[in-house]
Amino acid sequence: MKMTKLNLASLFLASIVSMTMSGCDSKTSPSSSVMPDNVVLTANTNESTLSVFDMEANGTLTKVDDVSVGYKLSDLIIHPNGKFLIVMNSASAEGSWDNNGSVGVYSIGESGLTLVSEANMTMALNGAITPNGKYIYIANQDNYEVSAFSIDGDTGVLTELTTSPTDEYEAHSIVMHPSGEFFFVGSEEGQIYSHMIYDENGSFSADTSSIDYNGQAAFNWLAVTPNGEYLYSGNAWGTEIYGFTINQTDGNLTLLDGFPIDNPSNGLKSTALTPSGEYIYFTAFDDDDVTGYSIDDNGILVLVDSTATGNRPKSIDISSDGKFAYVANYGDDNVSAYSIETNGSLTTIDTYAVGDGPKRVITGYVP
């Protein structure tokens, strides 16, 4: 198992005090463990912890620790420079669903996982960061808006972008275009909105276009292909998969011919693409499986197969080398690990216990 010089206590907090957006204080607990270079994290929303794993070269996971952090965790992002962990919290206090959430930025260093900046908002569900790491956008569901911030790459301090418009829709999911010029927002009411980013200050346009299925679909998770040409989402309330072409000038979406298509299983709450853009996977929350498709040159999906998961699969992520997939099973409090075969099919490696209610799983590299 490859290790770095950093202590895990140098990475993760055992306890965190409530802090403001600047001048934050924090507490750490010493540990003799060391943090992995290649990390898999789960956001365990029911107990407000991170489960931390070292990802081995063969895709197996070695449990490092369960660490208390944030409140009612809903999403995690490792900053592109690897110096910060960004945590979306959907509540303000342990055990409380009071819709007073926040986003917190934690520095990763020898002194611990230290909260350096925090901004309050209502129910922060999902975040997207520009490829250069300068700006982050948060789907802020119950306040019917997207919250936007600049983030200092050296200090991690957040600065709210007051020039960003408020859009009156239920923002549930958000994904960045690989160019960093657009982002897309999905709602549980059947809409997907496109926004242009102004790089000079990170502000963004009111929606340049919208797709509206008028409550007939719930877009809980969006995925954009690495080449930026296509966007896909499953219906969290059903079996339909939607595919769109992306206009590279203004980010407008157009439904692909033949879509939506029917997935074999129901409740498509999350999706993930391989880094090559060759394969895409959808988890079925209601039927406990994950279904894979190949993507042809025209954006059409071709079924590969379906593979069993644990109970209530809530999230999926793919390793940066495209060799492994990890699924957070909300109902079983564990993570399923799979190898991705050359034809896109999944082979189960093992399952690993995590904290209560894993809502998100991410993979990443921390130098």
Side-chain angles (χ1 to χ4, degrees):
M1 178 170 67
K2 186 179 179 182
M3 300 291 187
T4 70
K5 64 182 180 181
L6 302 180
N7 281 342
L8 180 64
S10 359
L11 176 65
F12 297 103
L13 285 174
S15 62
I16 297 171
V17 294
S18 179
M19 305 170 202
T20 60
M21 222 170 126
S22 60
C24 299
D25 297 317
S26 63
K27 297 180 180 180
T28 61
S29 290
S31 170
S32 60
S33 302
V34 291
M35 66 165 289
D37 288 341
N38 294 296
V39 66
V40 174
L41 303 174
T42 64
N44 308 315
T45 191
N46 292 339
E47 65 180 27
S48 301
T49 63
L50 295 172
S51 291
V52 186
F53 295 89
D54 181 13
M55 181 173 61
E56 307 286 357
N58 62 359
T60 60
L61 300 181
T62 299
K63 185 72 168 288
V64 177
D65 208 353
D66 289 320
V67 183
S68 297
V69 59
Y71 298 111
K72 300 296 184 185
L73 283 66
S74 56
D75 198 12
L76 306 169
I77 297 173
I78 296 174
H79 191 277
N81 66 17
K83 294 180 180 180
F84 305 103
L85 177 68
I86 304 164
V87 179
M88 270 59 73
N89 303 298
S90 55
S92 62
E94 186 61 48
S96 171
W97 290 103
D98 54 10
N99 293 342
N100 292 313
S102 65
V103 55
V105 180
Y106 299 82
S107 65
I108 302 170
E110 294 182 359
S111 62
L113 182 70
T114 303
L115 182 58
V116 296
S117 192
E118 187 174 52
N120 295 324
M121 63 190 67
T122 62
M123 196 172 282
L125 286 185
N126 191 209
I129 194 166
T130 52
N132 62 13
K134 290 174 62 176
Y135 306 112
I136 185 168
Y137 304 87
I138 311 295
N140 193 5
Q141 183 181 21
D142 278 18
N143 206 35
Y144 294 92
E145 67 180 12
V146 172
S147 299
F149 303 87
S150 64
I151 179 168
D152 189 297
D154 294 322
T155 66
V157 171
L158 296 169
T159 301
E160 189 169 8
L161 302 177
T162 56
T163 56
S164 298
T166 298
D167 293 277
E168 296 296 325
Y169 59 79
E170 182 190 67
H172 192 96
S173 56
I174 188 168
V175 67
M176 185 66 57
H177 190 270
S179 69
E181 296 177 357
F182 317 105
F183 65 84
F184 306 92
V185 179
S187 84
E188 284 198 321
E189 298 172 348
Q191 295 86 28
I192 302 176
Y193 298 89
S194 307
H195 296 272
M196 297 182 66
I197 297 171
Y198 305 121
D199 186 61
E200 64 272 12
N201 62 7
S203 62
F204 62 94
S205 68
D207 55 281
T208 60
S209 71
S210 62
I211 302 295
D212 191 352
Y213 288 95
N214 194 28
Q216 300 305 304
F219 297 117
N220 279 18
W221 198 260
L222 308 175
V224 174
T225 53
N227 63 11
E229 292 183 359
Y230 305 108
L231 180 147
Y232 299 95
S233 185
N235 180 6
W237 297 339
T239 62
E240 299 86 4
I241 294 173
Y242 297 81
F244 305 90
T245 58
I246 301 172
N247 184 298
Q248 302 301 300
T249 301
D250 56 17
N252 285 353
L253 300 176
T254 302
L255 188 68
L256 280 161
D257 289 343
F259 283 83
I261 63 172
D262 279 329
N263 188 69
S265 306
N266 191 63
L268 308 182
K269 286 189 176 291
S270 68
T271 183
L273 287 143
T274 55
S276 67
E278 188 175 1
Y279 299 105
I280 188 168
Y281 301 89
F282 297 85
T283 60
F285 189 76
D286 296 337
D287 289 329
D288 301 338
D289 66 19
V290 54
T291 300
Y293 296 85
S294 63
I295 306 174
D296 74 11
D297 292 340
N298 298 311
I300 302 303
L301 302 187
V302 179
L303 180 66
V304 175
D305 67 5
S306 296
T307 305
T309 63
N311 182 244
R312 301 297 196 190
K314 188 79 169 178
S315 173
I316 183 171
D317 200 20
I318 308 293
S319 62
S320 60
D321 60 9
K323 293 181 178 180
F324 307 107
Y326 299 91
V327 173
N329 300 305
Y330 186 86
D332 282 339
D333 298 334
N334 63 25
V335 167
S336 300
Y338 305 88
S339 60
I340 301 176
E341 307 303 330
T342 56
N343 66 351
S345 63
L346 301 181
T347 299
T348 301
I349 297 173
D350 208 342
T351 58
Y352 305 89
V354 301
D356 186 7
K359 189 172 184 178
R360 188 74 69 234
V361 60
I362 66 167
T363 66
Y365 178 76
V366 180

